Structure formats: structure tokens, C-alpha cells
Amino acid sequence: MNYLVTGAAGFIGSHLCKKLIHGGANVIALDAFTDFYSRSIKESNIQSVVNNPQFELIPADILETDLDNLMDKVDVVFHLAA
């Protein structure tokens, strides 16, 4: 299965990504890395999966992302972006 997780580098999103990858899924992770939440904390949250071939990080704002293109690549969306 292929998943899109928005807000993927936050606390909940990062844990979900790890769980999905551990279960054998492919994850496209979308996160804006805004100033509201420390970027270093978010980078630490996803550090264990960022180099995993099942994980693709897209550091972008959801409002400025080609979601139509992303939706063609995934089976399920977990929308956790705030």
C-alpha cells in the first residue's frame, strides 16, 4: 500500500509514518516545516525513516503542492496537517 501523510514530521505524523513503514507500506510524507513548530524537533521526529527507501519526504506547504499528482500515487491519505 502507498500512503500520503500530511503533517508527517509532527509528533503524531512521524509516529504514524514509522508504524506504516514498519508494516511494509510506502509513505509519501508532506510537511511544511513552519516556524510554529521547531524544525529541528520535526527533523528529529523523522530521523529514523528519512533515509528509508519506503519513505519520500516532500518539504512543502499543502496549499502550494500539486495534490492531484500526489493522489495518483497513493491508496490512502492521512491528513494530519494543521
Side-chain angles (χ1 to χ4, degrees):
M1 293 282 289
N2 298 309
Y3 296 89
L4 170 63
V5 179
T6 68
F11 181 81
I12 295 171
S14 63
H15 281 80
L16 175 60
C17 289
K18 291 173 195 174
K19 186 73 170 174
L20 292 169
I21 289 169
H22 180 72
N26 296 306
V27 174
I28 297 174
L30 180 65
D31 202 289
F33 292 97
T34 63
D35 293 339
F36 181 75
Y37 194 137
S38 171
R39 184 175 183 114
S40 63
I41 292 172
K42 287 183 141 189
E43 288 173 344
S44 177
N45 288 344
I46 59 171
Q47 183 178 10
S48 66
V49 295
V50 76
N51 292 318
N52 188 306
Q54 294 168 249
F55 183 80
E56 177 187 350
L57 176 63
I58 300 173
D61 188 314
I62 194 169
L63 297 175
E64 299 171 1
T65 302
D66 181 2
L67 294 176
D68 289 334
N69 185 41
L70 283 179
M71 296 302 288
D72 289 340
K73 299 177 184 178
V74 299
D75 304 300
V76 177
V77 175
F78 289 99
H79 179 48
L80 303 174

